[in-house]
Amino acid sequence: MTNGSKTDIYSRRESQARSYCRAFPVTFTKAQNATMTDAEGRNYTDFLAGCSSLNYGHNDPDMKAALLEYISRDGVTHGLDMHTDAKAEFLDAFERLILTPRGMDYRFMFTGPTGTNAVEAAMKLARKTTGRETIIAFTNGFHGMTMGALAATGNAGKRAGAGMALSGVVRMPYEGAMEGVDSLSMIRAMLENPSSGIDAPAAFLIEPVQGEGGLNAASTEFLKGLQTLAREHGALIIMDDIQAGIGRTGPFFSFEGMGIQPDLIPLAKSLSGMGLPFAGLLIRPDLDVWKPAEHNGTFRGNNHAFVTARVALEKFWSNDAFQRQTEAKSAYLTERLRAIAACVPGARLKGRGMMQGIDVGNGDMAAAICATCFEHGLIIETSGAHDEVVKVLAPLTIAQEQFAAGLDILEAAVQAQASQRIAAE
Amino acid sequence: MTNGSKTDIYSRRESQARSYCRAFPVTFTKAQNATMTDAEGRNYTDFLAGCSSLNYGHNDPDMKAALLEYISRDGVTHGLDMHTDAKAEFLDAFERLILTPRGMDYRFMFTGPTGTNAVEAAMKLARKTTGRETIIAFTNGFHGMTMGALAATGNAGKRAGAGMALSGVVRMPYEGAMEGVDSLSMIRAMLENPSSGIDAPAAFLIEPVQGEGGLNAASTEFLKGLQTLAREHGALIIMDDIQAGIGRTGPFFSFEGMGIQPDLIPLAKSLSGMGLPFAGLLIRPDLDVWKPAEHNGTFRGNNHAFVTARVALEKFWSNDAFQRQTEAKSAYLTERLRAIAACVPGARLKGRGMMQGIDVGNGDMAAAICATCFEHGLIIETSGAHDEVVKVLAPLTIAQEQFAAGLDILEAAVQAQASQRIAAE
Amino acid sequence: MTNGSKTDIYSRRESQARSYCRAFPVTFTKAQNATMTDAEGRNYTDFLAGCSSLNYGHNDPDMKAALLEYISRDGVTHGLDMHTDAKAEFLDAFERLILTPRGMDYRFMFTGPTGTNAVEAAMKLARKTTGRETIIAFTNGFHGMTMGALAATGNAGKRAGAGMALSGVVRMPYEGAMEGVDSLSMIRAMLENPSSGIDAPAAFLIEPVQGEGGLNAASTEFLKGLQTLAREHGALIIMDDIQAGIGRTGPFFSFEGMGIQPDLIPLAKSLSGMGLPFAGLLIRPDLDVWKPAEHNGTFRGNNHAFVTARVALEKFWSNDAFQRQTEAKSAYLTERLRAIAACVPGARLKGRGMMQGIDVGNGDMAAAICATCFEHGLIIETSGAHDEVVKVLAPLTIAQEQFAAGLDILEAAVQAQASQRIAAE
Amino acid sequence: MTNGSKTDIYSRRESQARSYCRAFPVTFTKAQNATMTDAEGRNYTDFLAGCSSLNYGHNDPDMKAALLEYISRDGVTHGLDMHTDAKAEFLDAFERLILTPRGMDYRFMFTGPTGTNAVEAAMKLARKTTGRETIIAFTNGFHGMTMGALAATGNAGKRAGAGMALSGVVRMPYEGAMEGVDSLSMIRAMLENPSSGIDAPAAFLIEPVQGEGGLNAASTEFLKGLQTLAREHGALIIMDDIQAGIGRTGPFFSFEGMGIQPDLIPLAKSLSGMGLPFAGLLIRPDLDVWKPAEHNGTFRGNNHAFVTARVALEKFWSNDAFQRQTEAKSAYLTERLRAIAACVPGARLKGRGMMQGIDVGNGDMAAAICATCFEHGLIIETSGAHDEVVKVLAPLTIAQEQFAAGLDILEAAVQAQASQRIAAE
């Protein structure tokens, strides 16, 4: 079958909802760490990394080996939420390597293996335990496509998909979203005014760094202030660490070291380590009031993901070496992006850790930069309300040379676009 | 680590929401076709089959081989919704082996890999394309746990999980649900009365056989009548074939041969063939009005599932042998269950195809039967509003002797319970 | 100013929402008991009676005298909900003449002076006191135009006015509404099935006789059965007696003598006696958990209405003479309508007491009959989902001859229409 | 009957929802202009004026005379929405004296005679005509108690009355409500950010001066900015002039002279002139897309109110004398309140025109001031989220001496309270 005929099958048989494949219209057949290879044998450096689902790169050899072994020996692939050795070993590793060292006490809820399902479970539990309906979400937040999570998602295009009005969510500006508005003060004033019309919230639902929303990073001060406010008003904090967590900003959780104790933490994306569908919700134990099967689902126990996730924890989180490496790479990334941004008048650095990017001011230019990069073998995408941010989401495991080379491609593309635009004025 | 300590990890670290593991409190370590094996080496016959997610049994050797090969050669594991060879080959097989032979013309939407996500996508699209909000769902229907699909799910316990009122869905009795009520006539009368207070519906959302709801099987007459009514009133039919489809009742789709052309068909569970998370929505092409990424999600392209799903199609659906086998097994199942039901005064057969069971009249007895079965090495579960139906959901690929032996265990358990109950009276 | 120019002002300046004035396009300048007089001096017999707001006829001389006296002595017209002598005297008369003799114990809540406001107050209180959201309303029910009450109103045209989906209400068939459906049994089955998808209701909201819905009269058996069901399921009964109450069916409340003790009773229309805006909600004392001003409103104390309402109670409800008269007139009405209905093949009598009518099978014929009546000096209107019922809502105080003469006009009109239709076939 | 026994009837028979009567626990029997008289013959000066429903004072002699004449001659009291001479004359006067001189072109919709009904009609029409659901309302807004209007009302106590979550409304800070937040800029930023999560609004619903919310007066700049923003985003302006309109701030509409052309204007309270229940909605003609009876109601045609409202227009709005008088009184009020406020450290003047008051900083002090005033024969109330504003809502027609004397009582009460508080510190 040629590449061409495979493209035909997509236009003939795949829904118009498809998206990334439009920007990268080749057929990928192989992937290793930061490199994807197409059917023609061409290699691409992956600065998208499954939107942060591949923090450890594609097909990590140790995860792959463990998975091959597990499949070979007919380990349970699907067992609903029944106990398996793979599940026990994952939970054990998660307790031993993640929770205990951080002094965190949470229950793990295996929701359906999508981020939106983990967010929905969190929203439901927050409403159930508080007896309140309103969840306060933030401008530019992205939490998922099912009706509950979609109500909390800001993007107008996604919201339009609902075909009906979405309820139960009140929107507040994310830190820094509205010039001249101190968001925290405003939220406080709204909650303290009994005639504000804002009902007492069940929870705040917030991303420590907004990935899709444009790499907006909340400050420690903001998140701590929000936590204080939440506690004063009997509301929970749902910290959606789906994109920023699992090492993306350095530590395992993106909010580590901030003095934050979220009540509920949805996780997904890089949780399985190898990009397999896997999601979960960390629950403060006293909030774990679910009745058996009250929130259930067929694929709650993706045993293949348990296997690879366990290996990921053991390989990368047994000591702090990986976090240190990420911090070093992040510093390098900041330095490079700062230089690159300097080519574009008005451009701004966004994000933190290994989820940084450049706001080039408009979506057309950002799209042109990404297209140019792809021509030169770099997979990279935009984010932000106007798709105005070129974001770097490389695997954390990328080799330094490949990282540098990828950034060189980006730099050249930005310079080319910047020159063109200056010339056009 | 002993089995005991692994159990500890669950009570310490897994959410109370866990369910099946409570009924089957052992650690499973291996599974092949209809047999699961626990850590002690004990074998169990699986009449639950991942709630119909394992229609082809556990770890089918051909799917397993293909998957091992794919992983070994570093095939793309995670690529968002980018084109891969695995995806193209799945789509090609689906067109060639499923759609074309049945004269069906649909687009395939890869939603997040959970049934609830496919249902949500269908509900959203029905509302978007009709400009109407109301979706008519049915008593005892089960469609998922996220807020949109949960609104259409009947079970009070699951609904309570929402922590808030659910909207956008109107409920009608499923065929035969209310004694003395001709459901179709009533729905027609409601829709034809401009003062009924039932708004014009965007869609009917219905399962051809209600799995969780108690193995209620709608007749061809009912489903065709509903289709006629839907067309008269400008509403769509969303045929949720997640549990009954993929061969469970004999043909690939449970509604084949009924003269039904659903507008939207959510699929999941056995779609991947091997129990991997995978879901999709079949869309009548003119309804595929999604904008790119309007309904997106990280795990829309589970390439491992594409590989196994493609093998499943090629292995089981290249000719009608598999369907014939299933029909033969179904006939055998009916015969055996009829005899078993005769032991329990008032018991009734429910369901069709390889999703049949016995309504024993109350949940306590049904639970006791299942517990006794498990003691004798048979994994089997209940369904129905009062968990009053003992349901047989064996893999379609189960060997005849194992099937017979499993039914023998069931028969003995039913007889034992029936005797005890009669003795107790 | 001529009649003509006054018509101009309406098309120029009154909203298209206006309605009755379109069917009766004259300017009325005077009204006494059952007679309205237009600007040309022509008299009309009023069989509409303000849709049952003028049960005691237009401008009753005793109410009028009391009101003139009150206004002349500068009695308080508007005092928000402050105590006035007029209010105390009304409450005293209501207790003495209505509650005490009937052994009824209720608190009177003065809501805004519209029926919809009384219904909204009832719905809010039912939700507040039960902690549940769902209110079960019935096909063809009419409860008002504000968003809460509109959600419970069946008429599609009215519902369309909302411009958005209405929530919080589940619809069930009114007694006899769906051929072959025993509504009470079906509701019971729905509530007793924990997977029906019908959430436990806060209340049933029902009209003992559906005025706008087509003069459908519920039986004692149905209403008692509903009350039993409500109590079993912890739901309240909101008995909307706005149109059928205040003597329209004979007794003061339309459900008297049925063994019904509603929890909440919205009243309006004829409550003031003279057609002044006035509404209220009777509340079972233990349910009166409102905080001061929790449901408030500017016109809760229409003192003019207190004055006339008090006179109405004293004049008509000090003994049972008025009820007897109404019963006699009702019997006469039944007899006459039976004869009239006999002219139209398939026509059926509807309603009870002094709210009876003829279902002539379609709205066109009903409209033609009403138009012919108006030409002959009779004001009469239709109701029903298809406006297919010609309804007689004469003042209860109408003189026997005028009543007979009005019915003669109706009879002639029906005969004329029936002949025309037969001729046309 | 003694005053005492009348009080008994209230506690025995009136709902706990009653409110003003608790602050003023006497029985009023008579009222003229700015004076109310109780059953003991004691006179009170009325600085509450039916919460701005009695802008022309109690029982204006000319309105009273016209109403007595109308009732005496058996003018139609209740005629649903049929044409009457009273209605035509009101509409004619409204066109001639209000619309034409101001160059305003609106249709008048007679809604049910309560402010909340007029607001609901406006919200429905805004949603219908724009096809959007969201209505943006403001902190501290008060719009009514029925479910649609209640969703737009800020007060937590009132909202709690709903017993369920309220939807369809998004809340923004009123001008000046949140320190350091430029409300207009923030709203603009929210609407211009496609990922803000704020759906395109059907309308802004705003009071030019928030009466219940604490006498917050929006500036011309703010209202014009809002109008600009609304037009840019295809949203309507619903200007709720129920409390501030009908001369309360000087001109007939409170927004006159600001360059504002609202799309929809709900009116009520002082519309009838004499405090009779009356409400209406002014509709920009091209938005008047109602179908006949699409929003109907029994008391849409309160003919008594038409009579008095027409007299009010003719007497007070035939020239600008009344407006001039109000402006003069407003200036006097400002001067007096400024002096009074000076007694209380931190006190602030609020409001404009003849709806001004003093924010004394807390509700306890404000309540104590009002209680002291009542002891000295002055009826006055508080408003604001914490009931912290003592508000003066005297009849516009109050005689200068009585006005001054009332303000003397207020001044003394404030001074007394201020001294007490200072002494207590």
Side-chain angles (χ1 to χ4, degrees), chain D residues 53-66:
Chain D
S53 297
L54 294 160
N55 288 354
Y56 313 110
H58 290 270
N59 296 323
D60 175 88
D62 296 303
M63 300 182 205
K64 172 178 160 179

Side-chain angles (χ1 to χ4, degrees), chain D residues 10-68:
Chain D
Y10 296 116
S11 59
R12 199 164 65 242
R13 290 297 171 201
E14 188 174 3
S15 164
Q16 296 295 346
R18 68 192 185 277
S19 54
Y20 291 105
C21 54
R22 298 173 190 263
F24 312 114
V26 300
T27 296
F28 294 101
T29 56
K30 195 176 156 183
Q32 276 175 321
N33 198 2
T35 304
M36 297 188 81
T37 308
D38 74 11
E40 320 281 308
R42 194 175 174 209
N43 287 335
Y44 302 82
T45 289
D46 186 2
F47 271 21
L48 178 49
C51 284
S52 200
S53 297
L54 294 160
N55 288 354
Y56 313 110
H58 290 270
N59 296 323
D60 175 88
D62 296 303
M63 300 182 205
K64 172 178 160 179
L67 181 57
L68 286 171

Side-chain angles (χ1 to χ4, degrees), chain C residues 282-293:
Chain C
L282 298 185
I283 303 174
R284 219 180 68 198
D286 59 299
L287 298 173
D288 183 29
V289 302
W290 291 116
K291 298 205 187 98

Side-chain angles (χ1 to χ4, degrees), chain A residues 13 19 59 74 77 81 108, chain B residues 13 19 32 59 77 81 108:
Chain A
R13 289 297 170 200
S19 53
N59 295 326
D74 284 324
T77 298
D81 72 344
F108 205 113
Chain B
R13 290 297 171 201
S19 54
Q32 277 175 320
N59 295 325
T77 299
D81 73 345
F108 205 114

Side-chain angles (χ1 to χ4, degrees), chain C residues 12-13 15-17 19 32 59 64 74 77 81 83 95 108 120 124 145 147 269 288 293 298, chain D residues 12-13 15-17 19 28 32 59 74 77 81 95 106 108 120 124 145 147 158 269 288 293 298:
Chain C
R12 198 163 66 242
R13 290 297 171 200
S15 165
Q16 296 295 345
S19 54
Q32 277 173 320
N59 295 326
K64 171 179 161 180
D74 284 324
T77 297
D81 73 345
H83 298 333
E95 179 183 60
F108 205 113
E120 295 249 350
K124 287 164 69 172
M145 291 297 105
M147 291 294 277
K269 292 200 184 270
D288 183 29
T298 296
Chain D
R12 199 164 65 242
R13 290 297 171 201
S15 164
Q16 296 295 346
S19 54
F28 294 101
Q32 276 175 321
N59 296 323
D74 285 323
T77 298
D81 74 343
E95 180 184 57
Y106 289 90
F108 205 114
E120 294 249 351
K124 288 163 69 170
M145 291 297 105
M147 290 294 276
K158 315 283 188 222
K269 291 199 184 271
D288 184 29
T298 296

